[in-house]
Amino acid sequence: MRDQSETGVAPRILLVDDGERLRQTFARALSGRGLVVTEAGTGADALRLLAEHPFDLVLLDINLPDATGWDVLRALRTAGRTLPVVVMTGVTPRTDRLREFRPDGVLQKPFPIDAMFSLIERCLGPPPSGPTP
């Protein structure tokens, strides 16, 4: 994950999942690693937050109550926004969707939390280091 000493700011993650308990569990784990987490439970909320705030990475569930994660990615692309996106899904994503949207990572639920951290690190760089003596 990006070294916050380089930017002075902890990496900002938008976590989009309609499962409130799962989303809160992920948010706590990510915050515990020094990331700033904003949560969204719908595609509409995700798009609103993405329009209002800068994020370094999006963790995006594919099955949302009002849209699919693919719809969110399509809207980002249409708006000309590019940022790392890791999709989370309970089913194996179709190959044509992966080719079309080219997410930076795919997590198939259930997945070990370490797999999520590994993908985030791959997208953002190594975790923030502690203070220098």
Side-chain angles (χ1 to χ4, degrees):
M1 288 164 234
R2 185 175 307 123
D3 186 337
Q4 73 187 73
S5 66
E6 293 175 17
T7 63
V9 179
R12 296 153 304 197
I13 306 290
L14 177 59
L15 173 59
V16 186
D17 197 303
D18 61 324
E20 186 175 356
R21 290 180 70 185
L22 182 61
R23 190 176 67 239
Q24 290 173 347
T25 299
F26 288 157
R28 278 192 305 275
L30 294 164
S31 295
R33 293 273 181 114
L35 300 165
V36 176
V37 181
T38 301
E39 298 177 44
T42 66
D45 286 344
L47 290 171
R48 179 183 52 78
L49 288 164
L50 284 159
E52 295 173 356
H53 305 283
F55 291 97
D56 298 302
L57 181 132
V58 179
L59 290 169
L60 179 62
D61 188 16
I62 292 301
N63 294 313
L64 299 168
D66 62 339
T68 68
W70 307 123
D71 296 328
V72 173
L73 287 171
R74 187 174 292 111
L76 282 175
R77 181 180 289 165
T78 300
R81 294 282 310 272
T82 58
L83 72 158
V85 175
V86 173
V87 296
M88 304 179 294
T89 179
V91 298
T92 303
R94 292 185 355 219
T95 305
D96 60 325
R97 292 288 189 192
L98 294 175
R99 272 197 302 264
E100 179 183 356
F101 293 103
R102 300 187 184 277
D104 295 274
V106 177
L107 292 167
Q108 192 161 340
K109 297 176 183 176
F111 54 83
I113 196 89
D114 287 341
M116 181 173 64
F117 291 133
S118 293
L119 278 173
I120 292 170
E121 185 172 326
R122 190 178 83 203
C123 292
L124 298 179
S129 57
T132 347

